[in-house]
Amino acid sequence: LLSKPTWSVRSLLPSEPTSTSTTPTITPKQLHHLLRLSALPPPSSPSAEKSMIATLESQLYFVRAIQQVDTTGVEPLRSIRDETAAGLKEASISVETLKEALEKEESWGHCKRPRRRRDVPVDTYGSEDWDALGTASQKVGRYFVVKSGKGVA
C-alpha cells in the first residue's frame, strides 16, 4: 500500500484551540438553536457553552478538511461488502444456483403452490442435531431451569 502516511488525525484538527480565535464560526445563538433542534439541554454555564462551541468548531474543522479531499473518479461506496465483479457474482442468486433446490419441489393444489417433495430427504445435519440443553446448568426432563429472583429472601 502506501510507504508512508499522507495524513494524520492531528492534521485534521485545528492547530490552535478554536476558543481563542477572534471570529468564531458558531455563535452562542446558533449553538442554542442546534441544541433545541437536537432536544439537548442548554449549557449550564458560560464556560460549558464555550467548551461546546470549541468542540463543535473543531468537529466542523475536521469535516471541512475531509470535504477538501479530491474524490474525482472515485465511485461512491454503496455498502461495506466486496463490490468487485467476483464478489458480486458470488453474492448473486441465479436459477443455476437454485436448480438443486427447485428440483426438490413440486407444484401442489389448485393454485400450484410450490412445496417440498416428500420422497426427497431433507439434510438437517448441523441444524437439528444440536443439543439445546447442552449448556444448561440445571435441567428437568426436556426443559432447562431458569432461576429467578422471586421468592428469594
Side-chain angles (χ1 to χ4, degrees):
L1 295 172
L2 300 174
S3 60
K4 55 185 172 176
T6 58
W7 62 274
S8 71
V9 173
R10 223 177 266 271
S11 71
L12 297 178
L13 296 175
S15 57
E16 61 184 41
T18 54
S19 61
T20 61
S21 89
T22 55
T23 57
T25 56
I26 299 172
T27 65
K29 182 179 177 183
Q30 290 172 325
L31 174 68
H32 287 274
H33 180 69
L34 289 172
L35 291 172
R36 188 179 56 78
L37 290 174
S38 304
L40 294 171
S44 58
S45 66
S47 63
E49 182 179 72
K50 286 181 183 179
S51 173
M52 283 183 173
I53 289 174
T55 301
L56 191 54
E57 285 178 352
S58 67
Q59 291 170 346
L60 288 174
Y61 183 90
F62 177 82
V63 169
R64 288 185 190 114
I66 296 295
Q67 287 175 336
Q68 292 175 356
V69 173
D70 182 22
T71 58
T72 54
V74 177
E75 291 186 35
L77 181 66
R78 292 182 291 178
S79 65
I80 300 176
R81 63 173 180 230
D82 186 5
E83 293 184 352
T84 62
L88 291 174
K89 183 178 178 183
E90 182 181 342
S92 299
I93 298 174
S94 64
V95 175
E96 291 79 27
T97 309
L98 297 174
K99 188 174 184 179
E100 183 180 330
L102 292 173
E103 288 173 350
K104 296 177 183 177
E105 293 182 350
E106 64 183 353
S107 298
W108 180 259
H110 176 70
C111 295
K112 302 291 183 193
R113 291 191 179 113
R115 77 169 191 183
R116 185 165 297 273
R117 291 192 345 234
R118 294 182 182 187
D119 60 335
V120 178
V122 178
D123 180 20
T124 60
Y125 180 76
S127 60
E128 292 184 10
D129 57 348
W130 63 287
D131 183 16
L133 300 175
T135 59
S137 59
Q138 286 188 350
K139 306 172 201 170
V140 175
R142 302 179 327 168
Y143 304 99
F144 60 91
V145 177
V146 178
K147 292 184 179 182
S148 70
K150 290 187 176 183
V152 177

